[in-house]
Amino acid sequence: CQSLPTNLLFQLLGLSVAMLSTVTRYGLHFTLISSISLENNSYRVFHHAAFYCGLCLSMTLILAALLSSAATVRESPLLGATGFFCFALAFCGLLPAACWRYTHGTEVEDSMMDVYDLVYEEVRRNISSFRRHELTAIHEAFLCCGKHSPFGDTANVESRTCPPGQARDAGRDCLQEIQDFLKKHMDLVSTLLGVTIGFTIYGMFLTSFLWFSIHFSSNLARKGKYILR
């Protein structure tokens, strides 16, 4: 049957998913880009969807672990079946998320860089003074300085928005820095997705075995009831 340490491992995995979702939602780099992005930019949709989907997934995993623990202690087939359903529900949510990660993962990266391009070009054309503060905040958050632009000299923009010590010659291209930062984060997401899918399948096998053990075992089925003939 399913052991309590195994259920504790599932709870820790659910907490890990919740922590990563919270970092994605409230991390400085992500909230900064989300607050700057326009309504027609898809990044804000990705930002909110990643948080709520991750939160639902983590709660489902924790609930499945708690139900499996209760089923083990109380020898309840109903709790075991409910735990299996929660694991199956998490698995059905994880598979589309993993497929989307490998087929549309670059869309998140492109949307973040589109936000930077928009802010940078508006500052370069002196369209908005408020955009200059936003561009400065991006440079400070990502520790980068400007970008290579095909529209001419950008030294004036970078001298006004780059943090001290991040001169254009010494600083990193911001588009490259955003791309590298997001790649590291998405690699972490992919690793956690793979581990979670593996443990979810393992949890479905364990809870199904637990249910069959409780339901069909003669010792557990009688539960102390005797019939005198």
Side-chain angles (χ1 to χ4, degrees):
C1 63
Q2 192 168 10
S3 63
L4 296 180
T6 303
N7 289 316
L8 179 61
L9 183 61
F10 283 118
Q11 294 181 43
L12 291 176
L13 185 61
L15 290 175
S16 300
V17 174
M19 288 177 61
L20 184 60
S21 302
T22 304
V23 170
T24 304
R25 177 67 177 85
Y26 296 105
L28 172 62
H29 301 81
F30 300 105
T31 54
L32 180 61
I33 297 296
S34 179
S35 62
I36 296 174
S37 63
L38 300 177
E39 293 295 335
N40 59 354
N41 188 283
S42 57
Y43 174 76
R44 191 172 295 182
V45 177
F46 297 146
H47 189 216
H48 288 85
F51 173 68
Y52 290 114
C53 290
L55 206 60
C56 291
L57 174 62
S58 66
M59 289 190 295
T60 304
L61 289 173
I62 293 173
L63 179 61
L66 292 175
L67 289 171
S68 300
S69 298
T72 303
V73 174
R74 298 172 62 93
E75 298 178 356
S76 170
L78 177 61
L79 292 175
T82 309
F84 175 84
F85 173 77
C86 289
F87 278 120
L89 187 64
F91 180 75
C92 291
L94 283 166
L95 274 186
C99 292
W100 186 92
R101 162 67 186 95
Y102 288 103
T103 56
H104 299 83
T106 56
E107 292 183 11
V108 181
E109 177 184 303
D110 293 339
S111 62
M112 285 187 75
M113 291 192 292
D114 286 343
V115 172
Y116 181 80
D117 277 331
L118 172 67
V119 175
Y120 189 93
E121 292 305 320
E122 288 191 3
V123 173
R124 189 183 65 83
R125 295 195 300 266
N126 292 318
I127 294 178
S128 172
S129 59
F130 183 72
R131 288 296 191 185
R132 186 166 65 250
H133 296 291
E134 293 177 340
L135 186 61
T136 302
I138 295 176
H139 287 164
E140 292 176 350
F142 286 92
L143 297 177
C144 59
C145 182
K147 67 170 187 174
H148 298 289
S149 176
F151 298 106
D153 185 27
T154 59
N156 186 37
V157 175
E158 290 151 7
S159 63
R160 292 181 296 166
T161 59
C162 289
Q166 287 286 333
R168 183 65 192 90
D169 294 336
R172 294 195 60 184
D173 183 278
C174 277
L175 293 179
Q176 185 63 46
E177 188 66 21
I178 292 173
Q179 188 178 37
D180 293 344
F181 168 80
L182 193 59
K183 184 179 183 302
K184 292 178 183 178
H185 186 79
M186 296 302 285
D187 287 344
L188 182 60
V189 170
S190 299
T191 303
L192 188 59
L193 275 175
V195 172
T196 307
I197 289 174
F199 274 97
T200 302
I201 296 173
Y202 179 59
M204 287 192 292
F205 275 112
L206 286 179
T207 48
S208 60
F209 177 76
L210 175 64
W211 186 87
F212 280 110
S213 298
I214 295 173
H215 190 72
F216 291 108
S217 174
S218 58
N219 292 330
L220 295 177
R222 285 198 300 256
K223 292 186 179 179
K225 295 180 180 179
Y226 300 92
I227 300 175
L228 299 177
R229 295 182 181 275

